[in-house]
């Protein structure tokens, strides 16, 4: 949230000065940028000519000040130039509608746009510097401040030729590349009344998104074309309705990530973890320190089947699927994938093109290049990992790469 707007300019008599400020310190009548603060930072607000026309960001005194200084050179101005800067002010630890790290991307475009518009209308009719239009200019800044904070957008008509339109659009992630072996998981409550107005293909696949079915299986169960399912899931992910995990199999291997340390200091996340992974009928319930110990014990070389057997007492109280899902969705653990690789690719061998093994489906030798995971191969052939592994073990020239 924006805390205030500051307009500063170079006065040919007194030098750099703040002409207006909109917004106050919370619970006080004091300006956000006091005269003492401005004295210390004015060189970064009313800058040297070579820094004009560039976005400037300053973090000081608990504030983040974002400005775009404008310099206009013309003989009509005192000293033959007019230098001003319109700044947006935020708390340097801003949170809420937009986090501190995303303030730049959300507000930067709007500030650039506003600065260039002020430069243009100042050239046309001295809108910024003329004493007669100054009241309108101040009123415009007030409207921008209050409308952006209240509605996240504003539209202000300056005159018959100029209108200011601004909107705070958060940066959503790019469309994710989804594989047919990925498993979608709903991560927010979807209102049935809203969902019924969605695209028909999205409505058709929603009942089959249960955290177990992979993309190809959802396509089969819903009788929706695979390409349409992929596009529908991309859009649901774009709007942060779903996330993705790997197909759950007891043959999977996992290991913890550096993010595991974050949950150790986050009490709220610990409570959420216990509620999510504990079996509802377990009395007494499992404690977080036991769950944390299990996450830290995951290794590249141990599959979930063996891991559950080694920790049988713990998993009497823990739902293993939810244990893995919570860890992967919160990036506490990651999947260690297995990639089949054909060691010897001599011409005679490559003429085979496929290997049959014990599975009913032929495995293409071109898939054994160390780039396609076992999940991808299993999904495309419609076989289980156990069948694929059995077929691969027969051939001594094929190894599994873990990464």
């Amino acid at each position: 949230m924006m805390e205030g707007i500051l307009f500063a300019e170079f006065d040919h008599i007194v030098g750099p000065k703040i002409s207006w400020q909109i917004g106050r310190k919370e619970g006080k009548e004091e300006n956000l940028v006091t005269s003492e603060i401005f004295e210390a930072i004015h060189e970064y607000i009313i800058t040297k000519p070579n820094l004009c026309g560039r976005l400037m960001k300053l973090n000081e005194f608990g504030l983040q000040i974002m400005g775009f200084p404008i310099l206009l050179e013309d003989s009509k101005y005192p000293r033959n130039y007019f230098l001003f800067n319109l700044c947006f002010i935020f708390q340097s630890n801003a949170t809420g509608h937009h986090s501190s790290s995303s303030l730049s991307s959300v507000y930067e475009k709007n500030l650039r746009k506003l600065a260039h518009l002020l430069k243009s209308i100042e050239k046309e009719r001295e809108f910024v510097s003329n004493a007669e239009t100054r009241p309108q200019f101040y009123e415009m800044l007030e409207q921008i401040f209050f409308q952006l904070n209240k509605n996240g957008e504003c539209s202000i008509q300056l005159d018959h030729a100029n209108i200011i339109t601004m909107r705070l659009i958060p940066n959503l992630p790019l469309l994710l590349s989804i594989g047919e072996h990925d498993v979608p998981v709903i991560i927010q409550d979807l209102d049935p009344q809203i969902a019924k107005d969605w695209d028909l293909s999205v409505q058709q696949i929603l009942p089959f998104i249960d955290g177990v079915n992979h993309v190809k299986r959802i396509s089969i169960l819903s009788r929706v074309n695979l390409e349409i399912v992929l596009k529908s899931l991309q859009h649901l992910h774009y709007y942060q309705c779903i996330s993705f995990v790997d197909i759950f199999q007891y043959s999977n291997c996992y290991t913890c990530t550096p993010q595991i340390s974050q949950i150790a200091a986050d009490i709220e996340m610990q409570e959420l973890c216990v509620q999510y992974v504990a079996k509802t009928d377990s009395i007494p319930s499992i404690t977080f320190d036991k769950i944390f110990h299990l996450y830290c014990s995951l290794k590249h070389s141990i599959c979930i089947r063996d891991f559950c057997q080694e920790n049988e007492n713990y998993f009497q109280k823990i739902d293993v699927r939810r244990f893995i899902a919570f860890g992967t969705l919160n990036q506490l653990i990651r999947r260690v994938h297995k990639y089949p690789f054909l060691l010897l690719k001599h011409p005679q061998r490559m003429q085979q093109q496929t290997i049959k093994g014990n599975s009913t489906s032929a495995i293409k030798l071109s898939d054994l290049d160390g780039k396609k995971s076992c999940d991808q191969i299993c999904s495309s052939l419609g076989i289980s990992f156990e069948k694929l592994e059995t077929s691969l073990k027969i051939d001594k020239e094929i190894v599994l790469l873990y990464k």
Side-chain angles (χ1 to χ4, degrees):
M1 180 176 175
M2 183 162 52
E3 299 292 329
I5 292 179
L6 178 147
F7 177 75
E9 61 187 321
F10 184 87
D11 186 278
H12 70 284
I13 298 174
V14 300
K17 71 169 188 177
I18 297 176
S19 297
W20 301 309
Q21 273 194 77
I22 299 166
R24 305 276 184 183
K25 289 185 178 178
E26 189 174 351
K28 299 181 180 179
E29 290 299 315
E30 189 179 5
N31 286 325
L32 288 164
V33 180
T34 62
S35 56
E36 292 79 13
I37 293 176
F38 185 71
E39 182 64 29
I41 65 172
H42 73 267
E43 291 183 352
Y44 304 98
I45 306 296
I46 302 302
T47 63
K48 301 295 183 185
N50 59 331
L51 293 177
C52 291
R54 299 167 186 248
L55 190 80
M56 304 283 290
K57 286 179 281 186
L58 174 67
N59 281 287
E60 198 61 75
F61 300 102
L63 300 173
Q64 183 183 88
I65 302 173
M66 185 188 300
F68 198 94
I70 296 292
L71 174 66
L72 294 172
E73 295 180 303
D74 198 300
S75 57
K76 65 184 176 182
Y77 299 118
R79 300 199 185 189
N80 297 324
Y81 71 87
F82 179 41
L83 175 57
F84 66 91
N85 194 354
L86 178 67
C87 303
F88 290 167
I89 306 173
F90 312 92
Q91 293 292 339
S92 59
N93 60 343
T95 55
H97 187 63
H98 302 288
S99 66
S100 179
S101 61
S102 65
L103 280 175
S104 299
S105 54
V106 173
Y107 286 91
E108 182 180 319
K109 296 173 186 175
N110 288 296
L111 182 58
R112 286 179 184 274
K113 178 180 178 180
L114 183 57
H116 285 300
L117 177 63
L118 292 177
K119 181 179 180 179
S120 175
I121 57 178
E122 171 62 24
K123 284 182 176 180
E124 288 176 8
R125 58 188 185 93
E126 301 176 14
F127 178 77
V128 179
S129 61
N130 193 325
E132 293 182 3
T133 55
R134 283 259 169 152
Q136 185 186 359
F137 181 33
Y138 179 77
E139 185 181 345
M140 178 200 78
L141 296 182
E142 280 191 320
Q143 290 179 22
I144 290 173
F145 175 68
F146 290 113
Q147 288 185 28
L148 282 183
N149 277 345
K150 183 179 179 181
N151 307 317
E153 60 182 353
C154 69
S155 181
I156 303 165
Q157 184 81 43
L158 291 181
D159 53 36
H160 68 282
N162 294 291
I163 184 169
I164 296 175
T165 56
M166 301 170 70
R167 177 173 294 177
L168 303 180
I169 302 175
N171 287 330
L172 293 171
L174 296 174
L175 288 178
L176 183 70
S177 177
I178 302 169
E180 59 185 38
H181 60 284
D182 290 325
V183 178
V185 180
I186 295 173
I187 57 174
Q188 63 172 267
D189 292 332
L190 300 178
D191 188 339
Q193 295 301 315
I194 297 175
K196 71 178 183 180
D197 296 325
W198 287 357
D199 182 86
L200 288 175
S201 58
V202 174
Q203 293 183 47
Q204 203 164 338
I205 67 174
L206 268 179
F208 303 101
I209 302 176
D210 57 1
V212 176
N213 295 326
H214 56 79
V215 173
K216 189 172 182 179
R217 181 164 175 76
I218 290 172
S219 173
I220 294 168
L221 293 174
S222 62
R223 299 182 180 180
V224 178
N225 180 272
L226 180 60
E227 288 300 316
I228 295 175
V229 171
L230 287 169
K231 289 212 172 285
S232 299
L233 292 174
Q234 276 185 323
H235 284 85
L236 285 172
H237 179 265
Y238 183 83
Y239 290 107
Q240 301 172 359
C241 297
I242 63 171
S243 188
F244 290 91
V245 295
D246 296 299
I247 298 172
F248 179 82
Q249 299 176 101
Y250 281 97
S251 56
N252 290 356
C253 297
Y254 296 87
T255 186
C256 60
T257 69
Q259 281 86 337
I260 192 72
S261 60
Q262 295 178 359
I263 195 172
D266 191 333
I267 302 299
E268 187 178 344
M269 193 175 183
Q270 292 174 16
E271 293 174 352
L272 185 65
C273 177
V274 173
Q275 291 173 14
Y276 188 82
V277 308
K279 290 181 178 178
T280 54
D281 57 350
S282 63
I283 301 174
S285 181
I286 191 79
T287 57
F288 173 74
D289 60 322
K290 300 290 193 303
I291 298 171
F292 185 74
H293 170 73
L294 289 174
Y295 278 134
C296 294
S297 301
L298 290 166
K299 296 177 183 177
H300 290 74
S301 55
I302 303 177
C303 70
I304 291 299
R305 183 188 298 105
D306 296 338
F307 187 73
C308 289
Q309 289 173 353
E310 288 178 12
N311 300 278
E312 185 178 355
N313 292 336
Y314 292 149
F315 280 103
Q316 289 177 358
K317 300 179 180 181
I318 294 174
D319 185 318
V320 63
R321 284 181 182 270
R322 294 173 76 84
F323 171 78
I324 295 298
F326 186 89
T328 51
L329 287 171
N330 291 282
Q331 299 179 338
L332 306 176
I333 61 174
R334 68 172 182 85
R335 170 83 180 280
V336 180
H337 286 280
K338 302 168 188 175
Y339 296 83
F341 182 71
L342 180 63
L343 293 173
L344 301 174
K345 298 182 179 179
H346 46 79
Q348 185 179 355
R349 180 66 194 271
M350 295 308 290
Q351 284 177 0
Q352 288 181 258
Q353 294 187 339
T354 62
I355 59 170
K356 188 78 172 178
N358 288 343
S359 66
T360 55
S361 302
I363 303 166
K364 295 179 182 178
L365 290 184
S366 59
D367 288 343
L368 308 179
D369 58 358
K371 296 179 181 179
K372 272 197 171 183
S373 70
C374 289
D375 279 3
Q376 290 173 287
I377 297 172
C378 287
S379 177
S380 62
L381 296 178
I383 60 175
S384 67
F385 173 74
E386 284 72 19
K387 287 185 178 180
L388 174 65
E389 188 179 38
T390 303
S391 299
L392 296 176
K393 280 183 177 179
I394 293 172
D395 197 314
K396 302 301 181 183
E397 294 180 355
I398 299 173
V399 296
L400 287 177
L401 305 179
Y402 290 69
K403 57 181 178 179

